[in-house]
Amino acid sequence: MDSLSSAAASSQAVQRQVRVQLTSKQEDIALPENTGPILVPTGLRRYALSTLVNNLLGSDKPIPFEFLINGTFLRTSIDEYLTANGISAETTLEVEYVRALIPPLHIASFEHDDWVSSTDILSATSPAASWASSAVSQGQERILSGSYDGLLRVWDMSSQILAVSPAPAEGGHSASIKAAKFVTPNQIASAGLDRTVRLWKYVENDDGFSGKISPQLELFGHKSGINSLAVHAPLNRVLSASNDHTVGFWSTKKSDAPAAPEEALPSKASKSSKRRKLNPSVSTPQRGPLALFSGHTAPVSAAIFDAKDSTVGYSTSWDHTLRTWDLVTSALVDTRTTSHSLLSLEHLPEVHLLATGTSARHITLIDPRVSAATVAAMTLRGHTNAVVTLSRDPHSTYGLISGSHDGTCRIWDIRSTKTDKDGVVGESVYTISRKSLEEEGKADSKRVGGEGVKVFGVSWDKTVGIVSAGEDKRLQINRGEGVLPSKI
Amino acid sequence: MGASKKRKAVTRDVEEEAGVFSGDELNANDLDGALSDNANDLSDSEDDGSDSEIDLVDEFSDEDEDDEELDSDEVPSDDEDLVKKTKTTATKAVVLDRTSEDQDENSSDDEMPNFRIEKDANGNDRYVYDEINPDDNSDYSEVDENANTIGDIPLSFYDQYPHIGYSINGKKIMRPAKGEALDALLDSIEIPKGWTGLTDPSTGKPLELSQDELELLKKIQLNEIPQEGYNPYEPTVEWFTSKQEVMPLSAAPEPKRRFVPSKHEAKRVMKIVKAIREGRILPYKPPTEDQEADQYVAKYDLWADEAERPDHPMHVPAPKLPPPGYEESYHPPPEYLPDKKERKEWEETDPEDREKDFLANDFGSLRKVPGYETFVKEKFERCLDLYLAPRVRRSKLNIDPESLLPKLPSPEELKPFPTTCATVFRGHKGRVRSLSVDPSGVWLATGGDDGTVRVWELLTGRQLWSVKVSDEEAVNVVRWRPGKEAVVLAAASGDDIFLAVPPIVDPETEKASLELLDAGWGYAAPNPALSAADANKTTTPPQWIRPSSTLTEAGVCAVIPLKYVVKSISWHRRGDYFVTVCPGSSTPASVAISIHTVSKHLTQFPFRRRIKGGGPPQTAHFHPSKPILFVANQRTIRAYDLSRQLLVKILQPGARWISSFDIHPTSSTASGGDNVIIGSYDRRLLWHDVDLSARPYKTLRYHKKAIRAVKFHPGGRYPLFADASDDGSLQIFHGSVTGDMLSNASIVPLKVLKGHKITGELGVLDLDWHPREAWCVSAGADGTCRLWM
């Protein structure tokens, strides 16, 4: 080691040098023995440092690394970093290195008949599989899509449709689906503009090339379209966010659920029943909500379970508030008011933050804990239209992905920041644009209002990658190949 | 002449009468009657009827009558009733006609006898003719005494006679003398030689000049030299050469005395010095007699008694010239001397543009300084400056121009407001004429040239419902019913208004909405069946009818056929009434504005007559909180109190053609007064403080083309308003109204939203705000709607 550092020192004797202590929290890329501080020239940037670490590791295939100093990514040379932060070159820098995110590359696009509103992934690493008793085997990953034509589709990775939900006449959704989720590998929840939450039984044939989605339960209670769903399989609970200003709390079990409210059933409305010819062939059990949380004063855009404590739910609404609910007592615990309509929600449990996408084109990170002094911990800026969907990074507790009506998905790392006039704001690490635009040869052209390419749903899984659904009638799968440690 | 004057007077009189009547608030019958009477009189007086001729005989007898009539004509008594009036005018007409009769009279004179028959001495009839008295116009003229009376014969007949004819008195007119005769006479008179006609003053005899003397005089007259034989052009003799020789004539050296001081001179100088020392010579002469005499010439020393004046604002001392500097020196330091380039530059610039009037010049010594050539000019100009230049103390305003601008907050502080296009709603074929965001803020309704009404999901731009209400007519306006308990959409296409319940809501609300619309069918029946005559009258309120089965299936519940094209719908805040306006110019005034009651299926026409001034009504809105209806026609906006049925306010924005207006949703409750914004086709956006003045408080002219729609943010949550223009842009303004009556509303332009393409000279046709958020939507002529957030 000494020879290496001395060689580096002699070659760049004119430059300043700084002592760095390289560490990593990941076992497989930790340095072989406890190397002491290394003297490196301050002119080095990320790439040079990455080469250095690869040399030290002696790995045959170079792994790109990112370097964290005091919790933020190194984006400049070390020298500039030291100057900007007023750190003396005499001190020893604690530098943590992590695997760099590989630019997610387009893998495949699944074409639909109509706009795709939502998507979910079933894989060995997805929450639905983790909750289930039977693990999903390798190569049996499934992708669920809910579309504006009112149909759910289950795809395998080779872009084959394994199953399609029944038409409205056979107990399917009578209007567009806005949210769809795997509850377990065999159960699907979906909701949409027809004001119902539906639970489906998904059975695959043994050959694994076809399956069947059959209605299991219809949940009535909302008075207006449902925007999003959150499921929690161990508790058999579903949260729904509706335009009627309420958050629905449902049970997936027929036996648990109370009877459906009479007035919400479509058969009660004389006119619509005439028109719609309600399911004559299939009779699905109809149930009502466990509770409808009212408190919001505008359409509720998203509702989720707390990732750690399943008795806590969060919801965001167009009324600018983020509300915390105690699911056991159905009580409103806390209200956080922001200055914009909130359109999406995701929980980052490790850093105790809630990420919420706003109509003002940014993502606000909110600390939901009562002790938190400020409402907005950080703002992530970069989108050019409303941010309507969010998903956690399965690899990192600091990462997330957002989908916006501007037709892009952006990957964020909350440690990647820059200082703006508004303080510290987050920068996106990568931007995924729609493949459909590139295919039309208009990859560079900017669509006004994301016309035709709006992203409605995004989902990120360790195995499958990033799946986004949009107005271009496609599911788009992107994956950074090198990211995956298991090298599928 | 007199007759035509009179006639004019009469007609004017009648016109005035008519004017008075039309201006007064008389009931229609009186007015009609009065106007028609006058008209008859006029026609009577104008034709030359036979009855007036009969009257003529009476009129002739007394001349005074004419004057009398004139009097009564010129000064009509005020209390004269109409009947009498008409009578006098009739008689006047008679008088007028008389002149024409006068003219006729002359022509009939020939038939009358111009002699009278008398008895002479013999008792026979004797015709005595009237004396012919030729007046000025007669053909007889004064005869010239000496005129030749020979008649129409050639003068040559008299050639051999000394006379050429005879005068009227028989005297011969002698032939006048001819030129030849005169010459002969003159020749007969002899002039002596040398006769001049002058008298020699010395002798007293006639002065006679000899031939030589006459020739001398002639030469002097011709400016010649009188001497005989003098040649003025003799060749010159060069006595001295004009050529200069190179060598001097003498090469002798300069004598020494030229270089040594003259002793003689020194002696003389010493003599003078000595005399001065002794006081015999005074170096300065005492003023001589001449100079003393000059003192009597009036001299004025302007500055003799000039005292130090106290500093007074009205006294401006003459400006002083700056003292000379180094540059003006005859021997300035070398750094002040211009180099070649500077000199050239100075010479090339125009004297007017030169920075300084001179160039520094080094003469070495003072005696080498030449005369200052511009001295006179400079002094002259200085004098001109002193006495011609007006000297005014200029009070310079020390005001920072920035401070005069009103303190407007920066747009950053006034966030949120819409800045970018978030969604494009594409689907309409042809123009989108109107749009509306529903009270819950989830849906957007649009109507366009393709005759369809569509409902969209606001955020995503997904079309949820569409119905084609008309095949050929465009949908001119769509408006959601306010209130959240029911979802009803009113749309106007062509002559019909459609009330629809889009099937996008939950069964419960849908049922409530349907019940709301169905409740009125019962009320329609009690109306008595109308007779055929009544039905034809335009003012009969229309009956609400059920739509066709296809429309019913699509969700339309009721149709109001109005017979005229509806361009504006505005709901009352409770959702039971809405007012519609048919602005077409052919629409009868009585049915242009109608108020519809949903619960009773009742249509009423509140205005019987057209609003005075400003053309047909354009649009109408209910006041957001009070029972007041605002109606705009092309130039004014009137506010009617519906409970008292009174006109309470007239706003005169000064626009030529109002396109739309909106009433501030909360200002009447917050500050006690209403604020109204008005958009006009002549590109103006006007802010009215209703209590402040009938004139606009602010006029904003930022658009290049007509403004089509203006709208306040509803609910008053955000103090925003916007306008949509034909130039394809929307402009967003901050307009906050304070509760304080003393402070004015502050208006800040925030953002121009561009994106709509101009199609067929039209840009943005309508706009609406989201009920809660600072989002707005716009309908474009390019067939798209846009959501801005």
Side-chain angles (χ1 to χ4, degrees):
Chain A
M1 282 305 118
D2 286 343
S3 64
L4 190 137
S5 60
S6 62
S10 61
S11 65
Q12 306 205 341
V14 285
Q15 268 199 311
R16 279 203 301 166
Q17 294 196 326
V18 68
R19 233 170 247 283
V20 293
Q21 175 73 57
L22 291 164
T23 55
S24 175
K25 284 178 183 162
Q26 280 149 301
E27 294 293 320
D28 52 341
I29 55 166
L31 287 176
E33 66 259 36
N34 191 14
T35 47
I38 308 171
L39 207 59
V40 297
T42 53
L44 293 193
R45 289 173 176 272
R46 184 201 69 84
Y47 183 76
L49 278 173
S50 184
T51 322
L52 175 69
V53 174
N54 272 311
N55 277 338
L56 290 174
L57 285 172
S59 51
D60 45 352
K61 193 183 170 196
I63 308 166
F65 290 108
E66 287 277 6
F67 296 87
L68 282 160
I69 309 175
N70 291 336
T72 54
F73 281 113
L74 181 69
R75 290 276 176 256
T76 57
S77 70
I78 299 175
D79 195 26
E80 285 163 32
Y81 176 82
L82 293 178
T83 320
N85 291 279
I87 301 169
S88 159
E90 305 286 319
T91 55
T92 304
L93 276 182
E94 286 283 333
V95 177
E96 186 192 344
Y97 60 95
V98 292
R99 274 198 181 81
L101 215 56
I102 307 292
L105 300 172
H106 178 252
I107 303 291
S109 285
F110 296 169
E111 306 230 353
H112 287 66
D113 299 334
D114 206 341
W115 299 4
V116 191
S117 60
S118 62
T119 180
D120 197 21
I121 301 169
L122 178 65
S123 76
T125 47
S126 71
S130 65
W131 287 324
S133 50
S134 61
V136 178
S137 56
Q138 197 96 161
Q140 293 296 308
E141 291 86 10
R142 297 286 176 263
I143 295 172
L144 171 71
S145 71
S147 168
Y148 268 82
D149 57 8
L151 298 179
L152 292 167
R153 293 176 180 82
V154 177
W155 305 72
D156 68 1
M157 289 304 289
S158 50
S159 76
Q160 297 291 316
I161 299 178
L162 298 185
V164 178
S165 70
E170 282 101 44
H173 276 290
S174 59
S176 303
I177 292 173
K178 294 295 281 280
K181 280 269 194 312
F182 277 112
V183 184
T184 65
N186 293 320
Q187 198 176 32
I188 295 168
S190 69
L193 291 181
D194 62 354
R195 300 173 292 280
T196 58
V197 178
R198 284 165 199 256
L199 289 162
W200 311 84
K201 191 177 178 195
Y202 173 60
V203 188
E204 253 179 53
N205 292 350
D206 295 336
D207 57 1
F209 290 113
S210 62
K212 192 173 187 296
I213 301 175
S214 48
Q216 204 174 34
L217 196 60
E218 286 181 14
L219 300 171
F220 289 91
H222 277 305
K223 291 199 175 74
S224 191
I226 295 164
N227 287 320
S228 87
L229 277 182
V231 293
H232 198 275
L235 285 175
N236 299 320
R237 292 291 182 266
V238 174
L239 275 176
S240 67
S242 166
N243 276 342
D244 63 2
H245 310 181
T246 60
V247 177
F249 188 45
W250 317 81
S251 168
T252 58
K253 275 182 161 175
K254 213 191 313 181
S255 51
D256 274 5
E262 285 293 305
E263 69 275 6
L265 294 180
S267 53
K268 290 296 149 193
S270 56
K271 193 165 176 186
S272 52
S273 66
K274 241 190 287 169
R275 191 168 58 246
R276 281 179 202 148
K277 303 275 181 227
L278 252 214
N279 44 5
S281 57
V282 187
S283 71
T284 316
Q286 297 171 335
R287 290 293 180 269
L290 291 172
L292 285 176
F293 306 148
S294 55
H296 283 295
T297 58
V300 186
S301 54
I304 56 164
F305 289 97
D306 188 296
K308 283 182 169 169
D309 181 1
S310 58
T311 62
V312 175
Y314 303 105
S315 66
T316 53
S317 162
W318 291 21
D319 65 2
H320 305 185
T321 59
L322 180 140
R323 288 174 202 254
T324 310
W325 306 91
D326 182 6
L327 300 181
V328 181
T329 58
S330 308
L332 175 63
V333 177
D334 189 30
T335 302
R336 294 281 159 134
T337 306
T338 64
S339 53
H340 300 286
S341 287
L342 305 178
L343 301 177
S344 52
L345 185 60
E346 187 56 87
H347 192 208
L348 303 174
E350 300 303 322
V351 289
H352 305 288
L353 287 174
L354 285 164
T356 169
T358 68
S359 67
R361 301 170 284 281
H362 57 251
I363 299 164
T364 309
L365 298 177
I366 298 172
D367 194 335
R369 291 172 293 185
V370 182
S371 57
T374 53
V375 173
M378 194 159 75
T379 310
L380 308 178
R381 290 182 192 276
H383 277 297
T384 58
N385 209 337
V387 182
V388 290
T389 176
L390 289 168
S391 185
R392 266 198 298 271
D393 184 352
H395 312 292
S396 156
T397 52
Y398 301 100
L400 76 155
I401 187 165
S402 64
S404 157
H405 279 177
D406 64 3
T408 62
C409 296
R410 280 170 193 260
I411 300 171
W412 310 85
D413 192 306
I414 60 170
R415 297 167 297 187
S416 166
T417 60
K418 64 169 179 184
T419 310
D420 201 347
K421 62 181 187 334
D422 303 333
V424 175
V425 296
E427 271 185 305
S428 64
V429 182
Y430 289 113
T431 304
I432 306 169
S433 59
R434 297 306 283 180
K435 190 70 180 170
S436 56
L437 266 184
E438 288 173 34
E439 282 168 12
E440 285 174 39
K442 296 172 188 165
D444 300 331
S445 67
K446 206 171 163 308
R447 292 287 186 98
V448 173
E451 192 189 354
V453 290
K454 291 189 188 80
V455 177
F456 294 130
V458 68
S459 181
W460 197 352
D461 181 73
K462 216 172 209 168
T463 321
V464 177
I466 298 159
V467 181
S468 53
E471 196 183 352
D472 55 359
K473 305 181 184 176
R474 287 164 185 232
L475 274 183
Q476 181 175 324
I477 304 173
N478 287 69
R479 189 161 61 211
E481 284 292 350
V483 179
L484 306 171
S486 48
K487 301 211 170 50
I488 296 167
Chain B
M1 286 288 282
S4 65
K5 263 183 197 165
K6 268 181 256 167
R7 176 165 291 179
K8 266 184 191 161
V10 171
T11 47
R12 187 171 59 229
D13 209 3
V14 173
E15 271 170 10
E16 271 167 16
E17 285 296 314
V20 167
F21 275 114
S22 60
D24 263 333
E25 293 290 333
L26 285 179
N27 58 31
N29 285 337
D30 290 351
L31 186 63
D32 284 344
L35 280 175
S36 62
D37 275 355
N38 273 336
N40 283 338
D41 293 336
L42 262 179
S43 62
D44 274 352
S45 64
E46 240 131 46
D47 67 12
D48 297 330
S50 54
D51 51 342
S52 58
E53 243 174 330
I54 294 163
D55 286 343
L56 186 70
V57 184
D58 300 336
E59 299 295 337
F60 251 116
S61 56
D62 48 356
E63 290 288 315
D64 298 351
E65 182 108 7
D66 193 2
D67 296 334
E68 221 177 83
E69 291 304 326
L70 266 175
D71 286 345
S72 68
D73 182 18
E74 235 112 283
V75 191
S77 54
D78 289 336
D79 55 350
E80 213 169 23
D81 64 354
L82 199 68
V83 185
K84 193 176 173 188
K85 189 87 197 163
T86 53
K87 221 174 198 175
T88 47
T89 41
T91 42
K92 266 176 261 162
V94 169
V95 175
L96 310 180
D97 286 327
R98 213 187 55 187
T99 17
S100 57
E101 291 307 313
D102 273 341
Q103 284 159 7
D104 291 348
E105 198 179 25
N106 285 336
S107 59
S108 62
D109 266 352
D110 300 40
E111 290 147 30
M112 296 256 302
N114 57 348
F115 55 85
R116 57 182 190 277
I117 302 161
E118 285 179 5
K119 295 288 182 191
D120 60 358
N122 302 331
N124 292 329
D125 282 353
R126 182 183 173 191
Y127 296 92
V128 179
Y129 288 89
D130 292 340
E131 186 85 18
I132 295 168
N133 184 22
D135 56 4
D136 288 344
N137 295 335
S138 96
D139 289 336
Y140 299 103
S141 55
E142 200 65 35
V143 183
D144 185 8
E145 289 272 315
N146 295 320
N148 197 348
T149 58
I150 56 171
D152 193 13
I153 57 163
L155 271 176
S156 57
F157 286 10
Y158 288 86
D159 274 354
Q160 66 261 42
Y161 302 107
H163 62 271
I164 54 167
Y166 302 91
S167 74
I168 199 162
N169 296 326
K171 302 257 172 57
K172 277 179 186 169
I173 299 173
M174 297 313 289
R175 187 182 301 275
K178 290 252 179 74
E180 293 159 23
L182 285 173
D183 287 345
L185 180 72
L186 287 174
D187 288 344
S188 67
I189 304 166
E190 200 193 348
I191 300 170
K193 198 85 173 169
W195 181 84
T196 56
L198 296 174
T199 313
D200 188 354
S202 54
T203 57
K205 287 178 181 169
L207 179 66
E208 284 177 15
L209 294 177
S210 67
Q211 190 61 36
D212 289 349
E213 284 170 330
L214 282 172
E215 270 175 24
L216 187 71
L217 278 175
K218 196 176 176 185
K219 275 188 177 174
I220 290 169
Q221 251 184 329
L222 291 171
N223 225 357
E224 286 172 2
I225 294 166
Q227 204 176 351
E228 198 77 40
Y230 171 77
N231 184 7
Y233 305 110
E234 274 180 3
T236 53
V237 181
E238 289 224 347
W239 300 108
F240 303 100
T241 177
S242 58
K243 284 171 195 155
Q244 211 165 12
E245 299 296 330
V246 177
M247 290 295 290
L249 289 175
S250 164
E254 290 272 298
K256 186 186 174 185
R257 65 174 177 275
R258 301 240 176 117
F259 302 96
V260 292
S262 163
K263 281 184 181 166
H264 172 73
E265 267 183 18
K267 211 171 172 183
R268 287 191 60 144
V269 168
M270 280 316 294
K271 200 175 172 184
I272 294 169
V273 168
K274 201 176 175 187
I276 290 172
R277 281 191 187 145
E278 284 171 3
R280 284 182 285 119
I281 298 176
L282 292 173
Y284 299 104
K285 271 194 283 182
T288 57
E289 202 65 23
D290 287 355
Q291 283 167 322
E292 299 250 325
D294 278 354
Q295 279 180 344
Y296 297 103
V297 178
K299 283 182 184 169
Y300 301 99
D301 185 359
L302 284 174
W303 297 279
D305 54 348
E306 192 171 56
E308 192 78 5
R309 289 217 210 178
D311 195 23
H312 190 267
M314 291 310 290
H315 170 66
V316 185
K320 275 181 183 157
L321 284 177
Y326 285 112
E327 280 176 300
E328 277 114 318
S329 165
Y330 70 95
H331 184 50
E335 63 263 30
Y336 288 97
L337 291 171
D339 57 11
K340 264 187 194 166
K341 196 179 142 202
E342 284 170 342
R343 185 177 290 278
K344 195 175 167 226
E345 196 184 350
W346 183 83
E347 277 162 359
E348 276 172 4
T349 48
D350 192 75
E352 291 278 317
D353 301 335
R354 283 173 188 165
E355 215 166 283
K356 42 189 186 177
D357 298 337
F358 60 94
L359 273 184
N361 217 339
D362 188 9
F363 297 106
S365 63
L366 196 54
R367 63 192 164 86
K368 288 180 183 165
V369 177
Y372 185 43
E373 53 193 5
T374 57
F375 178 82
V376 176
K377 184 166 167 266
E378 205 170 70
K379 294 299 146 198
F380 175 70
E381 277 173 357
R382 168 71 178 160
C383 290
L384 283 184
D385 278 353
L386 285 179
Y387 95 98
L388 279 184
R391 290 200 282 283
V392 177
R393 188 176 295 276
R394 188 162 294 171
S395 50
K396 199 171 173 185
L397 284 175
N398 251 342
I399 298 174
D400 180 18
E402 290 292 315
S403 69
L404 292 175
L405 294 171
K407 283 273 170 288
L408 290 183
S410 94
E412 281 295 313
E413 297 164 19
L414 301 173
K415 278 185 172 181
F417 54 84
T419 52
T420 52
C421 176
T423 311
V424 180
F425 303 84
R426 224 176 264 275
H428 273 290
K429 290 177 189 69
R431 293 191 274 267
V432 186
R433 296 235 177 181
S434 176
L435 48 62
S436 175
V437 181
D438 91 300
S440 67
V442 180
W443 299 302
L444 172 73
T446 60
D449 270 5
D450 53 2
T452 59
V453 177
R454 293 165 197 245
V455 174
W456 313 74
E457 202 174 43
L458 183 68
L459 206 59
T460 57
R462 175 81 183 184
Q463 181 181 315
L464 297 176
W465 179 71
S466 169
V467 61
K468 196 171 183 67
V469 294
S470 169
D471 284 332
E472 56 266 12
E473 300 272 10
V475 177
N476 283 319
V477 55
V478 289
R479 290 289 178 262
W480 291 98
R481 175 189 179 274
K484 288 177 183 165
E485 72 281 1
V487 176
V488 174
L489 181 64
S493 169
D495 301 346
D496 299 327
I497 301 168
F498 299 90
L499 293 174
V501 180
I504 49 170
V505 292
D506 67 303
E508 205 179 336
T509 318
E510 189 169 5
K511 204 173 150 205
S513 312
L514 289 173
E515 276 169 6
L516 186 91
L517 287 180
D518 285 340
W521 291 122
Y523 285 91
N527 282 358
L530 297 158
S531 65
D534 283 350
N536 284 337
K537 273 180 74 176
T538 51
T539 52
T540 313
Q543 294 289 308
W544 292 31
I545 55 174
R546 286 180 195 275
S548 64
S549 59
T550 50
L551 285 182
T552 312
E553 194 69 17
V556 180
C557 295
V559 179
I560 312 169
L562 266 185
K563 294 186 193 153
Y564 297 98
V565 178
V566 180
K567 286 275 174 87
S568 157
I569 295 178
S570 180
W571 283 87
H572 187 258
R573 69 182 188 284
R574 293 220 188 90
D576 198 17
Y577 306 101
F578 61 96
V579 59
T580 60
V581 178
C582 312
S585 52
S586 60
T587 313
S590 56
V591 299
I593 302 168
S594 43
I595 294 181
H596 310 269
T597 312
V598 174
S599 58
K600 293 179 182 172
H601 284 202
L602 180 67
T603 296
Q604 290 164 298
F605 299 115
F607 294 94
R608 258 195 217 105
R609 282 188 300 272
R610 169 147 295 176
I611 299 161
K612 269 175 259 165
Q618 297 295 309
T619 176
H621 291 297
F622 287 104
H623 189 280
S625 55
K626 293 178 196 163
I628 294 177
L629 177 68
F630 287 79
V631 179
N633 59 12
Q634 284 177 6
R635 283 194 290 279
T636 60
I637 292 181
R638 278 147 209 270
Y640 297 92
D641 190 322
L642 292 176
S643 57
R644 289 184 293 156
Q645 307 209 335
L646 273 180
L647 173 65
V648 287
K649 209 74 162 181
I650 301 177
L651 299 181
Q652 289 171 321
R656 281 195 215 112
W657 196 324
I658 295 170
S659 60
S660 60
F661 72 97
D662 197 19
I663 305 147
H664 196 283
T666 53
S667 64
S668 66
T669 47
S671 68
D674 283 309
N675 287 275
V676 177
I677 47 170
I678 299 164
S680 78
Y681 288 116
D682 54 352
R683 309 197 298 271
R684 278 184 276 187
L685 175 64
L686 307 131
W687 176 290
H688 264 276
D689 193 329
V690 173
D691 286 350
L692 191 71
S693 160
R695 296 273 162 196
Y697 158 63
K698 269 277 194 302
T699 304
L700 308 164
R701 265 188 246 217
Y702 295 131
H703 278 295
K704 289 191 194 74
K705 287 195 175 167
I707 293 176
R708 290 265 161 191
V710 291
K711 206 82 120 203
F712 276 113
H713 191 280
R717 182 162 175 180
Y718 295 106
L720 294 171
F721 64 97
D723 62 352
S725 163
D726 273 352
D727 62 12
S729 68
L730 292 110
Q731 288 180 354
I732 310 294
F733 296 89
H734 171 94
S736 64
V737 179
T738 51
D740 182 7
M741 287 286 272
L742 293 173
S743 57
N744 284 320
S746 67
I747 299 167
V748 186
L750 291 178
K751 183 81 186 169
V752 179
L753 300 176
K754 285 179 185 161
H756 283 290
K757 285 185 195 70
I758 299 170
T759 314
E761 298 286 305
L762 297 174
V764 190
L765 297 179
D766 197 8
L767 78 104
D768 199 8
W769 286 95
H770 189 273
R772 287 183 314 271
E773 299 296 328
W775 304 344
C776 74
V777 283
S778 60
D782 54 358
T784 64
C785 300
R786 280 159 198 261
L787 167 68
W788 309 86
M789 60 164 65

